[in-house]
Amino acid sequence: MNTNTFPSFRLPLLLILLWSATADAQRVMNLSECVDYAMANNPELKVAELQITDAEWQIKENTAFGMPQLTGNLGYQYWLKVPALPASALGFGQSDERIAFQLKNNISGDVNVSQLLFSKDYLLALRAAKAYRELTEEQLATDKRRVRNQVIDAYLPTLIIEESVNILDKNIANLRTILRETEASQSAGFSEQLDVDRLRLSISTLNSQRSNLLRQQEIVLNVLKFAMGYPVNESLQVADNVDRLLEQYGVADTTLTLNLNNRPEYRQILKARELQTLEIERYERPWMPVVSGFVNATGSYQGNSDLFWVPSSLAGVSANVNIWDGGITKARRERARVGLAEVEQQQVQLVNALNLEVENARKAYINALEDVGNRREDLRLSERIYETTQTKYKAGVGSSFELTTTEQQLFEAQRNLLNAQYQLLSAWTDFKQALAAE
């Protein structure tokens, strides 16, 4: 019996496992799926989400300061030597008997309940904590927008390289067909060795360009993985193509205008301004008191040999008022006002920058759209010239030099169109991103 032979029922299971491993290794994603993956897995976004969670706990922490505070204490004291004074020193005659003011054993415990009744800083802290949480939410929105843009910017070059490889493959296959025909014609004495060498040189050049593109494809694919938060050492394949993306995303309404509230950066600076305003308010009216109430209950067992119970309790209210701090509060208030003025100037600059971004993106999109139309026309002319040159060459009235020259012109036209389409997609995404339009 051959022990190296698998039982027949194991073979289908083995094939299924091998197929599953291959399927997992080759993960295919389109642009939308890559963006969704990045939104769920990008480490920077996870950090921003953790900051929101931290802000929520900060709100709870600040709120807790205004809740009743309950503390307890339990202690035991045993006096090794009890302090005592002579009776005569206390005015009780001339007696040398010492009078102690402590008992040797003292077991005590107390419970204290305090409640903040009023504090301007506490109320402001609650508002600031809420505003800070909203600021972190806007920061997350800004980070998501930035990561989405990074994924799109990294995704498009992978498609361009893939399309370029496909174009090269078609041109190489076409030249190889012509080469075989030319070699046969040269063997029959109708073509020169020069014609064969020119075609071989063109094929070699295209193969070299193809190898370079494949290496570049690995680089840009790794950039895409990094932007997504995808493991760089795992396989990933893009599923879209340029024509499909142009049909799906390539049309934009150039009459659209910017709504500033759609941009998370603008909402973020508004929250920063609100926080700075609260900082100014914090140092205004420094004379307002901090009022607290408290209740304390204390009990102790005291004695030398026999212990006796000594209870006590008290309640009260305290008010702390800032009378004069040497001008510290005024200086802090003025610094906060300077900070607000800085934020306001940053807001003005941001509005100008956002409007400039929209207008530049609008013009770039219009130019890219026009350029694609011109490049398509150039490609049609190049294809017509190449077909005519190829027909003349096969008929024996054209030279291999003309054929290789027009072939290079055709490839250049194909590459120019592809680059123009890439520029159009990039300009479209830039315009949509500038408008914050999904």
Side-chain angles (χ1 to χ4, degrees), residues 423-434:
Q423 295 298 330
L424 177 59
L425 285 173
S426 297
W428 177 87
T429 56
D430 290 343
F431 186 48
K432 288 292 185 179
Q433 291 163 5

Side-chain angles (χ1 to χ4, degrees), residues 336-386:
R337 287 175 176 170
V338 172
L340 177 60
E342 291 177 355
V343 173
E344 289 174 344
Q345 292 303 314
Q346 292 171 0
Q347 181 180 355
V348 172
Q349 186 176 14
L350 177 63
V351 171
N352 288 334
L354 295 180
N355 285 321
L356 178 63
E357 181 183 353
V358 170
E359 293 307 313
N360 288 346
R362 190 196 317 275
K363 291 179 174 60
Y365 173 77
I366 294 173
N367 291 338
L369 190 63
E370 181 179 349
D371 191 45
V372 167
N374 295 334
R375 297 302 180 181
R376 282 201 178 105
E377 182 62 28
D378 293 344
L379 178 59
R380 281 193 289 267
L381 292 174
S382 297
E383 288 173 343
R384 187 186 311 166
I385 293 172
Y386 181 72

Side-chain angles (χ1 to χ4, degrees), residues 183-250:
E183 287 175 337
S185 177
Q186 192 260 343
S187 299
F190 296 106
S191 298
E192 299 179 0
Q193 183 63 38
L194 179 62
D195 297 331
V196 175
D197 292 340
R198 282 174 175 163
L199 290 171
R200 287 176 177 172
L201 178 60
S202 296
I203 294 173
S204 176
T205 300
L206 294 182
N207 278 325
S208 177
Q209 293 177 4
R210 186 180 187 277
S211 299
N212 290 335
L213 284 176
L214 291 177
R215 285 189 289 270
Q216 293 177 20
Q217 187 176 34
E218 295 177 1
I219 295 174
V220 298
L221 197 57
N222 286 336
V223 173
L224 173 62
K225 293 176 185 178
F226 183 81
M228 293 169 55
Y230 189 90
V232 177
N233 57 351
E234 293 186 11
S235 177
L236 177 65
Q237 183 178 351
V238 295
D240 286 311
N241 60 57
V242 175
D243 291 334
R244 187 183 304 124
L245 285 181
L246 284 172
E247 292 177 1
Q248 186 174 1
Y249 301 112

Side-chain angles (χ1 to χ4, degrees), residues 272-282 336 340:
R273 181 175 178 175
E274 180 181 350
L275 283 170
Q276 198 63 39
T277 303
L278 290 175
E279 185 72 7
I280 296 175
E281 190 175 348
R282 176 186 175 188
L340 177 60

Side-chain angles (χ1 to χ4, degrees), residues 34-50 140 143-144 146-148 150-151 223-230:
C34 287
V35 171
D36 291 341
Y37 185 95
M39 293 299 104
N41 296 277
N42 185 278
E44 295 182 25
L45 298 185
K46 289 184 178 294
V47 170
E49 291 170 354
L50 289 173
L140 175 60
D143 291 341
K144 283 185 174 181
R146 177 175 50 79
V147 169
R148 181 185 294 109
Q150 289 176 349
V151 171
V223 173
L224 173 62
K225 293 176 185 178
F226 183 81
M228 293 169 55
Y230 189 90

Side-chain angles (χ1 to χ4, degrees), residues 1 5-17:
M1 179 178 179
T5 304
F6 284 104
S8 59
F9 68 87
R10 291 185 179 177
L11 185 57
L13 178 59
L14 180 61
L15 292 176
I16 292 174
L17 292 175

